[in-house]
Amino acid sequence: MGRKWILRGKEQREKKRIARERVETLFTMAERVFPYSRELANRYVEIALAVQQKAKIRLPKKWKRRYCKKCHSFLVPGVNARVRLRSKPYPHVVIKCLECGHIMRYPYLREKKARRAKTQDQGGVEA
Amino acid sequence: MRWNREKGKDRAPGRSQRPYQTVAGRTWIFRGAHRGRVTRKNIIWHELIGLKAKIIRASHPELVGIEGYVLDETRNTLTIVGDRVWTVPKDVVEVEFETAAGEKIRVDGKSLVGRPEMRLKKRWRK
Ligand SMILES: [Zn+2]
């Protein structure tokens, strides 16, 4: 019985690895195909998200902000997405999907803090 | 799993062929796009989109010899793009896939039947 459980764990890990590779492949393909066929790029995003949900894996950071959370279209900044930095209430990135108008906000406080610490370190070395 | 049902962008039969036509003849787009380590064992669960494929055997003689990259996949069909676009039923063909590593894998299309995200759920190593 123990053996069975070990096998099942192995199977799960293997499947998750495959799922991660599939998501990576699909998003790469979406990026490649986007200039020629947006519909196809959106189709790849759709499959990638379906695979991600089925396998219960995290979406890689690299691709997390590259699709619209509402209409699931692949986003390319400057073509069908607008990316702006805002620091007023708290530092954040605003991404607007120009296909459906959905607005997504992501904080970048952590990056900013890391950067501040870094510059301070450098200042300390210089002084 | 359907998100935008009201917009009618379903992958049900009768979907427009238009998204594929702009890619026909531009197979260089897909060179090196596949990021997975596909092997003979795991190809049934892996991504077929982006792999090079060649039809080796088919019940329908016209399908034999089709070569190109897999562009799309539905439950029962593979869309392959070469200098034009073909839609091939899975269950009547035998396909030879070429992986990024250059390995050639022969698969009976019957074992690939199933929606792309559902193939992941298929039984593991019977
Ligand atoms: Zn949108």
Side-chain angles (χ1 to χ4, degrees), chain A residues 62-107:
Chain A
K62 190 184 168 191
W63 301 114
K64 224 170 181 174
R65 301 176 185 185
R66 294 301 300 277
Y67 73 96
C68 172
K69 297 256 158 49
K70 195 177 181 197
C71 67
H72 301 96
S73 49
F74 190 72
L75 298 180
V76 176
V79 183
N80 65 353
R82 194 162 64 203
V83 182
R84 295 283 185 272
L85 290 174
R86 290 270 177 270
S87 56
K88 219 29 196 312
Y90 60 94
H92 60 284
V93 185
V94 183
I95 301 176
K96 185 177 185 185
C97 165
L98 300 181
E99 307 276 350
C100 72
H102 187 61
I103 293 173
M104 292 158 280
R105 295 185 184 85
Y106 302 95

mmCIF file of all heavy atoms in Angstrom, chain A residues 62-107:
data_model
loop_
_atom_site.group_PDB
_atom_site.id
_atom_site.type_symbol
_atom_site.label_atom_id
_atom_site.label_comp_id
_atom_site.label_asym_id
_atom_site.label_seq_id
_atom_site.Cartn_x
_atom_site.Cartn_y
_atom_site.Cartn_z
ATOM 1 N N LYS A 62 6.820 35.140 -15.368
ATOM 2 C CA LYS A 62 7.108 35.763 -16.660
ATOM 3 C C LYS A 62 5.837 36.007 -17.465
ATOM 4 O O LYS A 62 5.725 36.992 -18.190
ATOM 5 C CB LYS A 62 8.040 34.816 -17.406
ATOM 6 C CG LYS A 62 8.650 35.393 -18.661
ATOM 7 C CD LYS A 62 9.478 34.308 -19.337
ATOM 8 C CE LYS A 62 9.847 34.740 -20.728
ATOM 9 N NZ LYS A 62 10.421 33.614 -21.489
ATOM 10 N N TRP A 63 4.887 35.084 -17.338
ATOM 11 C CA TRP A 63 3.701 35.154 -18.194
ATOM 12 C C TRP A 63 2.476 35.652 -17.461
ATOM 13 O O TRP A 63 1.435 35.845 -18.062
ATOM 14 C CB TRP A 63 3.401 33.772 -18.794
ATOM 15 C CG TRP A 63 4.518 33.238 -19.597
ATOM 16 C CD1 TRP A 63 5.280 32.141 -19.304
ATOM 17 C CD2 TRP A 63 5.039 33.755 -20.822
ATOM 18 N NE1 TRP A 63 6.225 31.959 -20.261
ATOM 19 C CE2 TRP A 63 6.096 32.923 -21.208
ATOM 20 C CE3 TRP A 63 4.697 34.846 -21.628
ATOM 21 C CZ2 TRP A 63 6.831 33.147 -22.361
ATOM 22 C CZ3 TRP A 63 5.433 35.070 -22.782
ATOM 23 C CH2 TRP A 63 6.480 34.228 -23.135
ATOM 24 N N LYS A 64 2.575 35.859 -16.169
ATOM 25 C CA LYS A 64 1.420 36.181 -15.350
ATOM 26 C C LYS A 64 0.703 37.453 -15.799
ATOM 27 O O LYS A 64 -0.511 37.557 -15.709
ATOM 28 C CB LYS A 64 1.880 36.344 -13.903
ATOM 29 C CG LYS A 64 0.966 35.657 -12.944
ATOM 30 C CD LYS A 64 1.580 35.645 -11.565
ATOM 31 C CE LYS A 64 0.642 34.922 -10.624
ATOM 32 N NZ LYS A 64 1.230 34.744 -9.321
ATOM 33 N N ARG A 65 1.495 38.424 -16.263
ATOM 34 C CA ARG A 65 0.885 39.705 -16.638
ATOM 35 C C ARG A 65 0.742 39.850 -18.133
ATOM 36 O O ARG A 65 0.493 40.935 -18.646
ATOM 37 C CB ARG A 65 1.764 40.842 -16.108
ATOM 38 C CG ARG A 65 1.914 40.778 -14.625
ATOM 39 C CD ARG A 65 2.851 41.847 -14.153
ATOM 40 N NE ARG A 65 3.069 41.698 -12.716
ATOM 41 C CZ ARG A 65 3.767 42.549 -11.992
ATOM 42 N NH1 ARG A 65 4.313 43.600 -12.550
ATOM 43 N NH2 ARG A 65 3.920 42.357 -10.712
ATOM 44 N N ARG A 66 0.928 38.770 -18.842
ATOM 45 C CA ARG A 66 0.903 38.876 -20.291
ATOM 46 C C ARG A 66 -0.452 38.528 -20.906
ATOM 47 O O ARG A 66 -0.573 38.416 -22.115
ATOM 48 C CB ARG A 66 1.987 37.961 -20.909
ATOM 49 C CG ARG A 66 3.383 38.398 -20.580
ATOM 50 C CD ARG A 66 3.672 39.795 -21.059
ATOM 51 N NE ARG A 66 3.552 39.967 -22.483
ATOM 52 C CZ ARG A 66 4.503 39.669 -23.370
ATOM 53 N NH1 ARG A 66 5.651 39.204 -22.979
ATOM 54 N NH2 ARG A 66 4.309 39.879 -24.653
ATOM 55 N N TYR A 67 -1.467 38.302 -20.080
ATOM 56 C CA TYR A 67 -2.790 38.059 -20.638
ATOM 57 C C TYR A 67 -3.810 38.828 -19.818
ATOM 58 O O TYR A 67 -3.561 39.200 -18.669
ATOM 59 C CB TYR A 67 -3.109 36.562 -20.659
ATOM 60 C CG TYR A 67 -3.406 35.983 -19.309
ATOM 61 C CD1 TYR A 67 -4.729 35.839 -18.876
ATOM 62 C CD2 TYR A 67 -2.400 35.592 -18.451
ATOM 63 C CE1 TYR A 67 -5.010 35.323 -17.626
ATOM 64 C CE2 TYR A 67 -2.661 35.078 -17.209
ATOM 65 C CZ TYR A 67 -3.972 34.949 -16.803
ATOM 66 O OH TYR A 67 -4.251 34.445 -15.564
ATOM 67 N N CYS A 68 -4.962 39.101 -20.426
ATOM 68 C CA CYS A 68 -6.003 39.855 -19.743
ATOM 69 C C CYS A 68 -6.793 38.917 -18.841
ATOM 70 O O CYS A 68 -7.240 37.863 -19.280
ATOM 71 C CB CYS A 68 -6.927 40.514 -20.765
ATOM 72 S SG CYS A 68 -8.368 41.281 -20.011
ATOM 73 N N LYS A 69 -6.951 39.324 -17.581
ATOM 74 C CA LYS A 69 -7.644 38.458 -16.625
ATOM 75 C C LYS A 69 -9.134 38.361 -16.927
ATOM 76 O O LYS A 69 -9.819 37.492 -16.420
ATOM 77 C CB LYS A 69 -7.454 39.007 -15.200
ATOM 78 C CG LYS A 69 -6.007 38.999 -14.772
ATOM 79 C CD LYS A 69 -5.730 37.873 -13.804
ATOM 80 C CE LYS A 69 -4.271 37.480 -13.755
ATOM 81 N NZ LYS A 69 -3.314 38.540 -13.608
ATOM 82 N N LYS A 70 -9.634 39.312 -17.723
ATOM 83 C CA LYS A 70 -11.069 39.307 -17.988
ATOM 84 C C LYS A 70 -11.413 38.611 -19.306
ATOM 85 O O LYS A 70 -12.246 37.718 -19.328
ATOM 86 C CB LYS A 70 -11.590 40.733 -18.012
ATOM 87 C CG LYS A 70 -13.094 40.802 -17.922
ATOM 88 C CD LYS A 70 -13.579 42.234 -17.871
ATOM 89 C CE LYS A 70 -15.076 42.290 -17.760
ATOM 90 N NZ LYS A 70 -15.573 43.623 -18.109
ATOM 91 N N CYS A 71 -10.772 39.049 -20.391
ATOM 92 C CA CYS A 71 -11.152 38.478 -21.693
ATOM 93 C C CYS A 71 -10.127 37.450 -22.176
ATOM 94 O O CYS A 71 -10.270 36.883 -23.254
ATOM 95 C CB CYS A 71 -11.336 39.568 -22.737
ATOM 96 S SG CYS A 71 -9.841 40.443 -23.181
ATOM 97 N N HIS A 72 -9.076 37.183 -21.383
ATOM 98 C CA HIS A 72 -8.084 36.167 -21.681
ATOM 99 C C HIS A 72 -7.419 36.332 -23.035
ATOM 100 O O HIS A 72 -7.136 35.332 -23.705
ATOM 101 C CB HIS A 72 -8.693 34.760 -21.572
ATOM 102 C CG HIS A 72 -9.248 34.469 -20.232
ATOM 103 N ND1 HIS A 72 -10.572 34.631 -19.940
ATOM 104 C CD2 HIS A 72 -8.656 34.071 -19.079
ATOM 105 C CE1 HIS A 72 -10.776 34.324 -18.671
ATOM 106 N NE2 HIS A 72 -9.636 34.001 -18.120
ATOM 107 N N SER A 73 -7.182 37.585 -23.438
ATOM 108 C CA SER A 73 -6.420 37.752 -24.676
ATOM 109 C C SER A 73 -4.962 38.016 -24.330
ATOM 110 O O SER A 73 -4.653 38.568 -23.270
ATOM 111 C CB SER A 73 -6.999 38.889 -25.518
ATOM 112 O OG SER A 73 -7.181 40.034 -24.743
ATOM 113 N N PHE A 74 -4.096 37.595 -25.223
ATOM 114 C CA PHE A 74 -2.664 37.770 -25.028
ATOM 115 C C PHE A 74 -2.332 39.250 -25.175
ATOM 116 O O PHE A 74 -2.810 39.898 -26.100
ATOM 117 C CB PHE A 74 -1.892 36.951 -26.057
ATOM 118 C CG PHE A 74 -0.418 36.879 -25.783
ATOM 119 C CD1 PHE A 74 0.056 36.122 -24.728
ATOM 120 C CD2 PHE A 74 0.480 37.568 -26.576
ATOM 121 C CE1 PHE A 74 1.414 36.050 -24.479
ATOM 122 C CE2 PHE A 74 1.840 37.499 -26.323
ATOM 123 C CZ PHE A 74 2.311 36.743 -25.271
ATOM 124 N N LEU A 75 -1.547 39.797 -24.245
ATOM 125 C CA LEU A 75 -1.270 41.231 -24.265
ATOM 126 C C LEU A 75 0.180 41.517 -24.659
ATOM 127 O O LEU A 75 1.098 40.869 -24.170
ATOM 128 C CB LEU A 75 -1.541 41.838 -22.888
ATOM 129 C CG LEU A 75 -2.980 41.753 -22.370
ATOM 130 C CD1 LEU A 75 -3.063 42.406 -21.008
ATOM 131 C CD2 LEU A 75 -3.946 42.406 -23.331
ATOM 132 N N VAL A 76 0.333 42.475 -25.554
ATOM 133 C CA VAL A 76 1.654 42.961 -25.900
ATOM 134 C C VAL A 76 1.657 44.459 -25.651
ATOM 135 O O VAL A 76 0.882 45.188 -26.263
ATOM 136 C CB VAL A 76 1.991 42.663 -27.381
ATOM 137 C CG1 VAL A 76 3.334 43.260 -27.747
ATOM 138 C CG2 VAL A 76 1.988 41.179 -27.630
ATOM 139 N N PRO A 77 2.488 44.941 -24.721
ATOM 140 C CA PRO A 77 2.491 46.364 -24.413
ATOM 141 C C PRO A 77 2.776 47.191 -25.658
ATOM 142 O O PRO A 77 3.669 46.878 -26.435
ATOM 143 C CB PRO A 77 3.639 46.506 -23.399
ATOM 144 C CG PRO A 77 3.833 45.154 -22.837
ATOM 145 C CD PRO A 77 3.450 44.182 -23.907
ATOM 146 N N GLY A 78 2.006 48.231 -25.850
ATOM 147 C CA GLY A 78 2.195 49.091 -27.014
ATOM 148 C C GLY A 78 1.350 48.685 -28.188
ATOM 149 O O GLY A 78 1.154 49.461 -29.125
ATOM 150 N N VAL A 79 0.850 47.442 -28.192
ATOM 151 C CA VAL A 79 0.003 46.992 -29.288
ATOM 152 C C VAL A 79 -1.443 46.881 -28.829
ATOM 153 O O VAL A 79 -2.313 47.573 -29.361
ATOM 154 C CB VAL A 79 0.490 45.644 -29.855
ATOM 155 C CG1 VAL A 79 -0.356 45.234 -31.037
ATOM 156 C CG2 VAL A 79 1.956 45.746 -30.261
ATOM 157 N N ASN A 80 -1.688 46.033 -27.843
ATOM 158 C CA ASN A 80 -3.054 45.944 -27.322
ATOM 159 C C ASN A 80 -3.110 46.049 -25.808
ATOM 160 O O ASN A 80 -4.047 45.609 -25.171
ATOM 161 C CB ASN A 80 -3.744 44.668 -27.818
ATOM 162 C CG ASN A 80 -3.084 43.424 -27.299
ATOM 163 O OD1 ASN A 80 -2.035 43.495 -26.680
ATOM 164 N ND2 ASN A 80 -3.700 42.294 -27.538
ATOM 165 N N ALA A 81 -2.054 46.629 -25.237
ATOM 166 C CA ALA A 81 -2.065 46.861 -23.791
ATOM 167 C C ALA A 81 -1.335 48.162 -23.483
ATOM 168 O O ALA A 81 -0.381 48.524 -24.163
ATOM 169 C CB ALA A 81 -1.380 45.716 -23.065
ATOM 170 N N ARG A 82 -1.832 48.859 -22.481
ATOM 171 C CA ARG A 82 -1.152 50.079 -22.054
ATOM 172 C C ARG A 82 -0.581 49.833 -20.665
ATOM 173 O O ARG A 82 -1.285 49.384 -19.773
ATOM 174 C CB ARG A 82 -2.134 51.238 -22.045
ATOM 175 C CG ARG A 82 -1.436 52.585 -21.939
ATOM 176 C CD ARG A 82 -2.337 53.690 -22.353
ATOM 177 N NE ARG A 82 -3.470 53.788 -21.446
ATOM 178 C CZ ARG A 82 -4.632 54.358 -21.781
ATOM 179 N NH1 ARG A 82 -4.805 54.837 -22.988
ATOM 180 N NH2 ARG A 82 -5.606 54.431 -20.915
ATOM 181 N N VAL A 83 0.703 50.138 -20.499
ATOM 182 C CA VAL A 83 1.371 49.905 -19.219
ATOM 183 C C VAL A 83 1.848 51.238 -18.665
ATOM 184 O O VAL A 83 2.554 51.978 -19.340
ATOM 185 C CB VAL A 83 2.570 48.939 -19.373
ATOM 186 C CG1 VAL A 83 3.207 48.673 -18.034
ATOM 187 C CG2 VAL A 83 2.120 47.644 -20.012
ATOM 188 N N ARG A 84 1.403 51.554 -17.459
ATOM 189 C CA ARG A 84 1.809 52.807 -16.823
ATOM 190 C C ARG A 84 2.242 52.543 -15.387
ATOM 191 O O ARG A 84 1.752 51.615 -14.743
ATOM 192 C CB ARG A 84 0.624 53.791 -16.799
ATOM 193 C CG ARG A 84 0.158 54.242 -18.162
ATOM 194 C CD ARG A 84 1.092 55.286 -18.731
ATOM 195 N NE ARG A 84 0.603 55.818 -19.992
ATOM 196 C CZ ARG A 84 0.873 55.286 -21.181
ATOM 197 N NH1 ARG A 84 1.589 54.190 -21.262
ATOM 198 N NH2 ARG A 84 0.408 55.844 -22.280
ATOM 199 N N LEU A 85 3.148 53.375 -14.916
ATOM 200 C CA LEU A 85 3.559 53.297 -13.516
ATOM 201 C C LEU A 85 2.884 54.431 -12.762
ATOM 202 O O LEU A 85 2.868 55.565 -13.223
ATOM 203 C CB LEU A 85 5.083 53.459 -13.401
ATOM 204 C CG LEU A 85 5.926 52.308 -13.921
ATOM 205 C CD1 LEU A 85 7.392 52.677 -13.861
ATOM 206 C CD2 LEU A 85 5.685 51.054 -13.109
ATOM 207 N N ARG A 86 2.315 54.099 -11.617
ATOM 208 C CA ARG A 86 1.687 55.118 -10.770
ATOM 209 C C ARG A 86 2.238 54.965 -9.359
ATOM 210 O O ARG A 86 2.394 53.851 -8.861
ATOM 211 C CB ARG A 86 0.166 54.944 -10.762
ATOM 212 C CG ARG A 86 -0.494 55.293 -12.068
ATOM 213 C CD ARG A 86 -0.886 56.759 -12.083
ATOM 214 N NE ARG A 86 -1.454 57.135 -13.362
ATOM 215 C CZ ARG A 86 -0.755 57.596 -14.404
ATOM 216 N NH1 ARG A 86 0.556 57.717 -14.313
ATOM 217 N NH2 ARG A 86 -1.352 57.932 -15.524
ATOM 218 N N SER A 87 2.507 56.059 -8.697
ATOM 219 C CA SER A 87 3.084 55.947 -7.353
ATOM 220 C C SER A 87 2.209 56.620 -6.303
ATOM 221 O O SER A 87 2.581 56.656 -5.137
ATOM 222 C CB SER A 87 4.480 56.567 -7.336
ATOM 223 O OG SER A 87 4.425 57.898 -7.784
ATOM 224 N N LYS A 88 1.019 57.105 -6.706
ATOM 225 C CA LYS A 88 0.283 57.986 -5.801
ATOM 226 C C LYS A 88 -0.217 57.314 -4.513
ATOM 227 O O LYS A 88 0.356 57.555 -3.458
ATOM 228 C CB LYS A 88 -0.827 58.734 -6.540
ATOM 229 C CG LYS A 88 -0.997 60.202 -6.082
ATOM 230 C CD LYS A 88 0.309 60.808 -5.575
ATOM 231 C CE LYS A 88 0.189 62.100 -4.768
ATOM 232 N NZ LYS A 88 -0.639 63.123 -5.332
ATOM 233 N N PRO A 89 -1.228 56.425 -4.567
ATOM 234 C CA PRO A 89 -1.578 55.880 -3.244
ATOM 235 C C PRO A 89 -0.475 54.947 -2.751
ATOM 236 O O PRO A 89 -0.081 54.989 -1.597
ATOM 237 C CB PRO A 89 -2.871 55.109 -3.491
ATOM 238 C CG PRO A 89 -3.178 55.200 -4.943
ATOM 239 C CD PRO A 89 -2.035 55.811 -5.644
ATOM 240 N N TYR A 90 0.004 54.106 -3.653
ATOM 241 C CA TYR A 90 1.106 53.188 -3.380
ATOM 242 C C TYR A 90 1.696 52.847 -4.740
ATOM 243 O O TYR A 90 0.975 52.888 -5.734
ATOM 244 C CB TYR A 90 0.613 51.922 -2.669
ATOM 245 C CG TYR A 90 -0.403 51.153 -3.462
ATOM 246 C CD1 TYR A 90 0.003 50.103 -4.290
ATOM 247 C CD2 TYR A 90 -1.763 51.475 -3.420
ATOM 248 C CE1 TYR A 90 -0.922 49.395 -5.042
ATOM 249 C CE2 TYR A 90 -2.688 50.779 -4.164
ATOM 250 C CZ TYR A 90 -2.263 49.730 -4.973
ATOM 251 O OH TYR A 90 -3.174 49.037 -5.717
ATOM 252 N N PRO A 91 2.997 52.553 -4.787
ATOM 253 C CA PRO A 91 3.571 52.298 -6.119
ATOM 254 C C PRO A 91 2.943 51.079 -6.787
ATOM 255 O O PRO A 91 2.928 50.005 -6.190
ATOM 256 C CB PRO A 91 5.054 52.061 -5.829
ATOM 257 C CG PRO A 91 5.231 52.135 -4.377
ATOM 258 C CD PRO A 91 3.964 52.479 -3.712
ATOM 259 N N HIS A 92 2.426 51.253 -8.002
ATOM 260 C CA HIS A 92 1.855 50.107 -8.704
ATOM 261 C C HIS A 92 1.956 50.277 -10.212
ATOM 262 O O HIS A 92 2.140 51.383 -10.715
ATOM 263 C CB HIS A 92 0.394 49.885 -8.293
ATOM 264 C CG HIS A 92 -0.510 51.048 -8.581
ATOM 265 N ND1 HIS A 92 -0.510 52.181 -7.818
ATOM 266 C CD2 HIS A 92 -1.442 51.238 -9.531
ATOM 267 C CE1 HIS A 92 -1.409 53.037 -8.283
ATOM 268 N NE2 HIS A 92 -1.996 52.486 -9.333
ATOM 269 N N VAL A 93 1.871 49.130 -10.878
ATOM 270 C CA VAL A 93 1.858 49.100 -12.332
ATOM 271 C C VAL A 93 0.409 48.980 -12.763
ATOM 272 O O VAL A 93 -0.325 48.174 -12.214
ATOM 273 C CB VAL A 93 2.646 47.877 -12.872
ATOM 274 C CG1 VAL A 93 2.740 47.914 -14.380
ATOM 275 C CG2 VAL A 93 4.019 47.826 -12.249
ATOM 276 N N VAL A 94 0.003 49.798 -13.719
ATOM 277 C CA VAL A 94 -1.358 49.696 -14.239
ATOM 278 C C VAL A 94 -1.279 49.161 -15.658
ATOM 279 O O VAL A 94 -0.615 49.736 -16.523
ATOM 280 C CB VAL A 94 -2.060 51.067 -14.257
ATOM 281 C CG1 VAL A 94 -3.490 50.906 -14.727
ATOM 282 C CG2 VAL A 94 -2.018 51.695 -12.880
ATOM 283 N N ILE A 95 -1.931 48.044 -15.893
ATOM 284 C CA ILE A 95 -1.983 47.482 -17.241
ATOM 285 C C ILE A 95 -3.421 47.525 -17.708
ATOM 286 O O ILE A 95 -4.312 46.975 -17.057
ATOM 287 C CB ILE A 95 -1.452 46.035 -17.273
ATOM 288 C CG1 ILE A 95 -0.003 46.016 -16.767
ATOM 289 C CG2 ILE A 95 -1.531 45.460 -18.675
ATOM 290 C CD1 ILE A 95 0.594 44.642 -16.674
ATOM 291 N N LYS A 96 -3.639 48.210 -18.828
ATOM 292 C CA LYS A 96 -4.990 48.268 -19.361
ATOM 293 C C LYS A 96 -5.057 47.450 -20.635
ATOM 294 O O LYS A 96 -4.253 47.634 -21.543
ATOM 295 C CB LYS A 96 -5.374 49.716 -19.657
ATOM 296 C CG LYS A 96 -6.814 49.842 -20.101
ATOM 297 C CD LYS A 96 -7.225 51.274 -20.325
ATOM 298 C CE LYS A 96 -8.710 51.321 -20.654
ATOM 299 N NZ LYS A 96 -9.152 52.666 -20.994
ATOM 300 N N CYS A 97 -6.024 46.531 -20.671
ATOM 301 C CA CYS A 97 -6.237 45.729 -21.872
ATOM 302 C C CYS A 97 -7.018 46.586 -22.862
ATOM 303 O O CYS A 97 -8.114 47.038 -22.556
ATOM 304 C CB CYS A 97 -7.003 44.467 -21.514
ATOM 305 S SG CYS A 97 -7.701 43.612 -22.927
ATOM 306 N N LEU A 98 -6.449 46.818 -24.026
ATOM 307 C CA LEU A 98 -7.131 47.667 -25.000
ATOM 308 C C LEU A 98 -8.166 46.892 -25.827
ATOM 309 O O LEU A 98 -8.863 47.459 -26.641
ATOM 310 C CB LEU A 98 -6.115 48.338 -25.931
ATOM 311 C CG LEU A 98 -5.093 49.235 -25.220
ATOM 312 C CD1 LEU A 98 -4.146 49.864 -26.221
ATOM 313 C CD2 LEU A 98 -5.768 50.322 -24.394
ATOM 314 N N GLU A 99 -8.243 45.583 -25.609
ATOM 315 C CA GLU A 99 -9.257 44.782 -26.306
ATOM 316 C C GLU A 99 -10.616 44.945 -25.632
ATOM 317 O O GLU A 99 -11.635 45.079 -26.286
ATOM 318 C CB GLU A 99 -8.878 43.299 -26.308
ATOM 319 C CG GLU A 99 -7.498 42.979 -26.825
ATOM 320 C CD GLU A 99 -7.464 42.868 -28.343
ATOM 321 O OE1 GLU A 99 -8.539 42.854 -28.965
ATOM 322 O OE2 GLU A 99 -6.350 42.817 -28.892
ATOM 323 N N CYS A 100 -10.604 44.923 -24.273
ATOM 324 C CA CYS A 100 -11.883 44.995 -23.570
ATOM 325 C C CYS A 100 -11.925 46.129 -22.550
ATOM 326 O O CYS A 100 -12.960 46.405 -21.965
ATOM 327 C CB CYS A 100 -12.200 43.665 -22.881
ATOM 328 S SG CYS A 100 -11.172 43.356 -21.453
ATOM 329 N N GLY A 101 -10.794 46.801 -22.310
ATOM 330 C CA GLY A 101 -10.787 47.927 -21.387
ATOM 331 C C GLY A 101 -10.599 47.553 -19.937
ATOM 332 O O GLY A 101 -10.706 48.418 -19.069
ATOM 333 N N HIS A 102 -10.332 46.292 -19.666
ATOM 334 C CA HIS A 102 -10.143 45.848 -18.289
ATOM 335 C C HIS A 102 -8.827 46.402 -17.731
ATOM 336 O O HIS A 102 -7.822 46.444 -18.436
ATOM 337 C CB HIS A 102 -10.140 44.323 -18.227
ATOM 338 C CG HIS A 102 -10.112 43.773 -16.845
ATOM 339 N ND1 HIS A 102 -11.096 44.016 -15.919
ATOM 340 C CD2 HIS A 102 -9.207 42.984 -16.214
ATOM 341 C CE1 HIS A 102 -10.804 43.399 -14.794
ATOM 342 N NE2 HIS A 102 -9.659 42.759 -14.945
ATOM 343 N N ILE A 103 -8.853 46.849 -16.482
ATOM 344 C CA ILE A 103 -7.659 47.423 -15.874
ATOM 345 C C ILE A 103 -7.137 46.508 -14.779
ATOM 346 O O ILE A 103 -7.889 46.053 -13.920
ATOM 347 C CB ILE A 103 -7.966 48.823 -15.296
ATOM 348 C CG1 ILE A 103 -8.273 49.782 -16.441
ATOM 349 C CG2 ILE A 103 -6.804 49.331 -14.463
ATOM 350 C CD1 ILE A 103 -8.760 51.132 -15.992
ATOM 351 N N MET A 104 -5.828 46.216 -14.847
ATOM 352 C CA MET A 104 -5.207 45.358 -13.838
ATOM 353 C C MET A 104 -4.105 46.144 -13.133
ATOM 354 O O MET A 104 -3.335 46.843 -13.782
ATOM 355 C CB MET A 104 -4.620 44.117 -14.501
ATOM 356 C CG MET A 104 -5.670 43.180 -15.068
ATOM 357 S SD MET A 104 -5.005 42.107 -16.339
ATOM 358 C CE MET A 104 -4.995 43.207 -17.735
ATOM 359 N N ARG A 105 -4.044 46.023 -11.831
ATOM 360 C CA ARG A 105 -3.022 46.745 -11.061
ATOM 361 C C ARG A 105 -2.149 45.762 -10.296
ATOM 362 O O ARG A 105 -2.663 44.836 -9.681
ATOM 363 C CB ARG A 105 -3.678 47.720 -10.089
ATOM 364 C CG ARG A 105 -4.444 48.826 -10.766
ATOM 365 C CD ARG A 105 -4.955 49.812 -9.734
ATOM 366 N NE ARG A 105 -5.778 50.813 -10.383
ATOM 367 C CZ ARG A 105 -7.089 50.667 -10.653
ATOM 368 N NH1 ARG A 105 -7.686 49.540 -10.312
ATOM 369 N NH2 ARG A 105 -7.754 51.615 -11.263
ATOM 370 N N TYR A 106 -0.847 46.009 -10.361
ATOM 371 C CA TYR A 106 0.086 45.174 -9.618
ATOM 372 C C TYR A 106 1.011 46.060 -8.798
ATOM 373 O O TYR A 106 1.609 46.977 -9.346
ATOM 374 C CB TYR A 106 0.934 44.337 -10.583
ATOM 375 C CG TYR A 106 0.110 43.452 -11.489
ATOM 376 C CD1 TYR A 106 -0.243 43.880 -12.757
ATOM 377 C CD2 TYR A 106 -0.310 42.201 -11.058
ATOM 378 C CE1 TYR A 106 -0.999 43.072 -13.602
ATOM 379 C CE2 TYR A 106 -1.050 41.397 -11.887
ATOM 380 C CZ TYR A 106 -1.401 41.831 -13.150
ATOM 381 O OH TYR A 106 -2.143 41.045 -13.960
ATOM 382 N N PRO A 107 1.119 45.827 -7.487
ATOM 383 C CA PRO A 107 2.025 46.648 -6.685
ATOM 384 C C PRO A 107 3.483 46.374 -7.046
ATOM 385 O O PRO A 107 3.812 45.258 -7.459
ATOM 386 C CB PRO A 107 1.723 46.206 -5.256
ATOM 387 C CG PRO A 107 1.122 44.862 -5.382
ATOM 388 C CD PRO A 107 0.439 44.810 -6.702
#
